[in-house]
Amino acid sequence: MRLALVGFALGTALLQIQPTLPSENATVAIGAAGALLLLGTTRLPWPRWRDAAFAMSAILLGLAWAALLANTRLADSLPDALEGRDIVLTGTIASLPQPFDRGVRFEFETEGATTGGARVPQHIQLTWYSSYAGAPERPVPVVHPGERWNLTARLRKPHGNANPHGFDYEAWLLERGIRATGYIRIGRDNAAPALQAAFAWSVESVVDRMREHIRERLQKALGEAPYGGVIIALAIGDQRAIDNDDWQIFTRTGVNHLMSISGLHVTMVASLAAWAVFALWRYSVRHTPRLLLMLPAPQAAALGGFLAAFSYCMLAGFQIPAQRTLYMLGVAAWAIWRGWFGSATRVLALALGVVALLDPWAALAPGFWLSFGAVALLLLTGQSQGLRAHWLRTAFVAQAAITVGLIPLTLVLFQQVSIVGPLANAVAIPLVSLVITPLALAAAVLPFDAVAHLAHALQSVLMIYLEWLGGFDWAVWQHSAPPWPLAALAAVGGLWMFVPWWWSWRLLGAVWMLPLFLYAPPQPGPGEVEVTVLDVGQGLAVVAHTTHHTLLFDTGPAYSPETDGGNRVVLPFMRGEGIARLDGMVVSHDDSDHSGGALSVLGGVPVDWLASPLAEKNTVRQAAGARARACQAGQAWDWDGVHFEFLHPAAADYAKFADMPDNAQSCVLKITAQGHSMLLPADIERDIEARLAATQSQALQSEVLVAPHHGSQTSSSARFIAAVAPRLVIFPVGYRNRFRHPAAEVVQRYAGTGAQMLRTDESGAIRIRIGANGAHAETFRQMHPRYWHGR
């Protein structure tokens, strides 16, 4: 049974790495093959053969089940013809609205579209901006869960940036059933949004209204308290209320799993409720003995604990991570009812199967692997210590097991491990789980602000400790993302070290983990360079890596006051590639789509120098301090046999910057490796292109060109293209960007030269290897295709 449950979960996980979905006929065939194999296992004469066949049938059934649900979900899609069109929708707000500096974002359950012939997905995500595309500022009304609105929206299919070691936004949307995103349109040609009903009744709407009421109450009670967002997150699971700087501290100290409604908190609430019900039940039995005959105390406690966990998950908005914990607790409660007290592995396998059955996309979430890995390690350490072990020794061994045993998974998922995590968690786990979280829940229901202030005061004390721990330079150990065979070997080794047998055998686990720590990703050889044009949306960020040096050219846009291309794309990419520092960084000019992530990068990794045309008062240049320098034509340097040279701006241009637009000030960089070149012209336009073509025509020649100004109409003149003569042109553009880059006439101009053209919105990150054999490109979506990626 255990083998079959694990096999079923493995089958659902296997589907999530497939580039395409099986057809309906193929899905039926896979399911039928699994069922027939399952029926035939009883006739096999040898037990091991039966076990193998049983596991294989379970894998096939899991694969077919996941494919069936995936096909169903993807079928609810936005037709191509409706992307970018204004559609009049009627529906209800189906989530807790999330205000931000420019508006509010919420999920929307559509009930119909009045635009002729329009068919839209049932569950979408909408943003209501105060202004967009140069339109005048309009106040955004306060919206509430459960409201029914009639509004005009412009939708697009799910799409996210696709980069190595980056967050897969499209997978996140798929798992939550969000099959389109968009924004509300207001203008002369569109009717104003109209509130149809103040409340459309549903269980979800009732719960979200209650969560909104709690959020407002805690916000009013705590006011501008610095850690009010943490208290709100612990009470209702609204993680977006937590400040980005606080998240960095939680990540560096390894306690980020505690700062929301996590599996640990749900389990804690269930345990406290089960203990209370057990005690009350035993007390009631003294007066009503028949009660024990009707329902034994352990079963009553299991039921009470599960109901408490269910209520807490509802309070958290029934978010998917909380759902998984609820399923696991439900299985544990069922095991108590069935009397499976001595079969922890059976309970764990059953929980794994139930989670895979109800959520076949669970394998995409880091929390799924970490949760089950932690439980498996705790089971192993519990067996090795026995029942008579001292509680302090038990706690120490459990913490050590989770810290050491989960290193392989943590490195694969996040490319970093908190060294101070055990010290931080030793204090944070009991304080947050047993004190702060119960106080946050009490503050949510009690009419006393003092309870919320007490929770905040304790959180403030904890933050002093966490900031001290996270302030050490060695607090976090970073490592490149390992290949999956090494990660799998190390994961087995991590479990092996805590299996209850002799220490000499356990040390084999450490030997199996050793290759993970010794692994170093392959580097370009001498005279070679690997250049990655990252997918940052409508912006630019390029990483050039030689044998021993790394240069970052531009840092992507600013997405919000807390997130940007630096902390969302560049830094995760560098961690995954094992790049711990930047030998140089170029911010080509002051436009936010090129400089928006610069401060995050400067604060995230050591940077030897920053070259830019930025003014002295610019915040990025001030942050760089003495490391800042001006980029000027003629500046050149060599790293590991690769030549780097600035072609623009000239030294004389700096005196004219007051009369020059930002785009004309752009640093233009040429990278040459063994006679083959790549040109990075940033946002220069026709006037600068003409000057360069007239004065440095030969220097412009490059096999690879990042299209100037994202392929706008004001750039890529015929003379410039002829001077560069590229064989590969890359357009760094955002999906369905409002500028409509690249312009059609520019694309035709490049097409006329026979050059290959790639776009980051279609290809994801683009990696170019330049060396003696020329320049060769590969795209992230081509090398790592998934069935949910729109292509």
Side-chain angles (χ1 to χ4, degrees):
M1 186 63 177
R2 297 175 182 85
L3 199 58
L5 291 167
V6 173
F8 183 85
L10 179 60
T12 62
L14 284 175
L15 184 80
Q16 311 314 325
I17 60 174
Q18 301 305 310
T20 57
L21 279 179
S23 65
E24 293 184 5
N25 291 337
T27 300
V28 172
I30 293 171
L36 291 174
L37 186 58
L38 178 64
L39 293 175
T41 54
T42 57
R43 298 182 179 275
L44 293 175
W46 296 285
R48 290 186 178 179
W49 284 35
R50 285 199 299 268
D51 290 344
F54 202 43
M56 182 56 66
S57 67
I59 291 174
L60 292 175
L61 289 172
L63 185 64
W65 172 250
L68 175 66
L69 294 188
N71 271 305
T72 302
R73 183 157 292 183
L74 290 183
D76 186 26
S77 62
L78 183 71
D80 293 342
L82 293 183
E83 276 199 297
R85 284 183 53 191
D86 290 347
I87 306 171
V88 180
L89 302 173
T90 300
T92 58
I93 297 177
S95 69
L96 189 65
Q98 298 293 335
F100 60 101
D101 59 320
R102 293 178 51 212
V104 64
R105 184 174 291 109
F106 50 83
E107 294 175 25
F108 195 71
E109 199 76 14
T110 62
E111 298 173 349
T114 58
T115 302
R119 179 181 62 82
V120 299
Q122 182 178 2
H123 198 62
I124 63 178
Q125 179 176 275
L126 292 177
T127 303
W128 196 329
Y129 292 106
S130 58
S131 65
Y132 56 89
E137 189 85 13
R138 296 174 183 267
V140 175
V142 178
V143 296
H144 304 281
E147 290 180 343
R148 177 178 285 115
W149 283 83
N150 184 268
L151 48 83
T152 302
R154 181 166 290 184
L155 303 178
R156 70 179 191 178
K157 293 183 175 183
H159 186 89
N161 299 335
N163 295 285
H165 324 296
F167 175 66
D168 193 334
Y169 182 59
E170 294 172 47
W172 186 87
L173 291 174
L174 174 70
E175 188 178 14
R176 283 152 183 78
I178 299 172
R179 301 308 306 139
T181 62
Y183 61 96
I184 295 171
R185 294 274 293 172
I186 302 175
R188 292 178 300 176
D189 300 330
N190 305 115
L195 180 64
Q196 302 293 312
F199 187 75
W201 192 92
S202 69
V203 174
E204 293 82 1
S205 297
V206 172
V207 171
D208 284 334
R209 275 292 176 95
M210 178 178 65
R211 297 177 67 222
E212 182 185 48
H213 174 74
I214 293 172
R215 182 173 68 178
E216 291 175 350
R217 163 160 169 54
L218 292 177
Q219 286 175 339
K220 182 178 179 181
L222 295 172
E224 299 298 324
Y227 308 118
V230 176
I231 305 304
I232 293 173
L234 293 173
I236 63 171
D238 184 11
Q239 299 184 34
R240 299 182 187 182
I242 300 178
D243 186 76
N244 191 55
D245 292 338
D246 293 337
W247 271 124
Q248 293 184 9
I249 295 172
F250 299 149
T251 301
R252 286 186 62 82
T253 55
V255 302
N256 47 321
H257 63 104
L258 295 174
M259 301 306 163
S260 62
I261 296 184
S262 65
L264 181 63
H265 298 330
V266 176
T267 305
M268 178 271 300
V269 169
S271 301
L272 290 177
W275 174 82
V277 170
F278 185 84
L280 290 173
W281 206 263
R282 292 288 298 271
Y283 176 79
S284 302
V285 165
R286 300 176 184 176
H287 305 283
T288 313
R290 291 183 180 179
L291 203 59
L292 189 60
L293 297 176
M294 294 172 57
L295 187 64
Q299 294 184 358
L303 178 61
F306 177 76
L307 292 176
F310 179 80
S311 301
Y312 193 30
C313 287
M314 293 294 286
L315 189 63
F318 216 57
Q319 298 174 14
I320 289 176
Q323 289 182 35
R324 296 192 194 103
T325 304
L326 181 65
Y327 302 152
M328 295 174 67
L329 290 173
V331 170
W334 175 252
I336 293 174
W337 274 70
R338 295 295 301 271
W340 296 347
F341 298 105
S343 184
T345 56
R346 182 193 296 181
V347 174
L348 182 62
L350 184 57
L352 180 66
V354 168
V355 170
L357 178 69
L358 298 177
D359 181 13
W361 297 280
L364 296 174
F368 169 81
W369 300 98
L370 294 174
S371 296
F372 279 98
V375 173
L377 286 165
L378 291 175
L379 289 176
L380 289 175
T381 55
Q383 291 177 10
S384 63
Q385 296 182 87
L387 298 175
R388 297 184 179 181
H390 190 274
W391 69 269
L392 189 59
R393 180 178 184 274
T394 301
F396 175 79
V397 173
Q399 183 65 51
I402 291 176
T403 301
V404 175
L406 292 183
I407 284 177
L409 277 176
T410 306
L411 286 180
V412 171
L413 297 170
F414 307 112
Q415 295 84 54
Q416 61 182 14
V417 175
S418 175
I419 303 299
V420 299
L423 294 175
N425 279 283
V427 175
I429 287 177
L431 183 59
V432 174
S433 297
L434 300 178
V435 183
I436 298 178
T437 297
L439 285 173
L441 291 172
V445 296
L446 297 177
F448 308 115
D449 292 351
V451 180
H453 287 293
L454 177 59
H456 184 271
L458 292 173
Q459 181 65 35
S460 301
V461 174
L462 176 62
M463 289 301 297
I464 295 174
Y465 176 61
L466 296 180
E467 288 175 358
W468 174 70
L469 283 178
F472 294 110
D473 294 336
W474 47 266
V476 176
W477 178 62
Q478 296 186 1
H479 195 276
S480 58
W484 72 264
L486 287 185
L489 181 65
V492 173
L495 291 172
W496 189 277
M497 289 179 65
F498 298 95
V499 173
W501 46 40
W502 294 104
W503 274 105
S504 57
W505 284 90
R506 293 189 188 187
L507 290 177
L508 284 175
V511 174
W512 293 345
M513 294 179 69
L514 189 60
L516 177 74
F517 302 110
L518 297 178
Y519 170 77
Q523 305 296 323
E528 297 178 345
V529 63
E530 187 174 86
V531 183
T532 305
V533 181
L534 294 169
D535 179 13
V536 293
Q538 186 65 21
L540 181 65
V542 181
V543 178
H545 187 49
T546 67
T547 308
H548 302 294
H549 296 81
T550 304
L551 173 77
L552 174 64
F553 186 93
D554 282 339
T555 60
Y559 305 121
S560 72
E562 292 81 25
T563 60
D564 52 59
N567 55 34
R568 278 287 184 89
V569 179
V570 175
L571 293 178
F573 172 79
M574 291 178 59
R575 281 198 301 268
E577 296 293 307
I579 301 171
R581 64 180 301 111
L582 288 172
D583 299 279
M585 175 173 158
V586 178
V587 175
S588 64
H589 60 301
D590 197 22
D591 282 0
S592 62
D593 58 332
H594 293 252
S595 63
L599 293 177
S600 293
V601 174
L602 288 170
V605 293
V607 179
D608 286 355
W609 52 260
L610 168 72
S612 74
L614 302 176
E616 291 184 3
K617 295 182 179 180
N618 186 279
T619 55
V620 174
R621 180 159 179 174
Q622 288 181 343
R627 297 171 293 172
R629 62 178 69 168
C631 60
Q632 293 181 9
Q635 291 177 344
W637 66 98
D638 291 280
W639 283 341
D640 307 315
V642 179
H643 187 69
F644 296 79
E645 181 181 5
F646 284 118
L647 304 183
H648 181 76
D653 289 331
Y654 280 84
K656 309 172 186 176
F657 271 6
D659 300 321
M660 294 174 64
D662 286 343
N663 288 346
Q665 302 173 20
S666 295
C667 302
V668 176
L669 179 68
K670 183 179 181 180
I671 304 172
T672 305
Q674 301 191 41
H676 304 280
S677 301
M678 180 172 180
L679 187 66
L680 305 174
D683 277 359
I684 63 171
E685 296 180 315
R686 291 178 180 175
D687 53 345
I688 302 300
E689 291 178 354
R691 185 211 294 183
L692 292 174
T695 59
Q696 303 188 60
S697 178
Q698 189 169 358
L700 287 178
Q701 293 181 10
S702 300
E703 291 182 54
V704 184
L705 170 68
V706 175
H709 200 191
H710 316 282
S712 73
Q713 292 178 335
T714 59
S715 62
S716 296
S717 60
R719 184 179 181 184
F720 177 79
I721 295 174
V724 178
R727 293 195 299 175
L728 172 64
V729 180
I730 298 171
F731 297 103
V733 293
Y735 181 67
R736 299 192 65 85
N737 63 87
R738 64 186 180 92
F739 306 103
R740 300 187 178 182
H741 293 161
E745 57 266 37
V746 170
V747 172
Q748 291 176 358
R749 210 172 291 151
Y750 283 112
T753 69
Q756 178 189 3
M757 290 176 285
L758 295 174
R759 304 166 48 137
T760 55
D761 60 340
E762 296 177 350
S763 301
I766 301 167
R767 181 167 291 179
I768 305 100
R769 292 179 173 87
I770 307 175
N773 296 323
H776 303 277
E778 63 181 32
T779 69
F780 182 77
R781 289 188 186 268
Q782 179 187 34
M783 301 303 295
H784 300 85
R786 294 294 182 264
Y787 68 83
W788 57 82
H789 286 166
R791 294 188 296 279

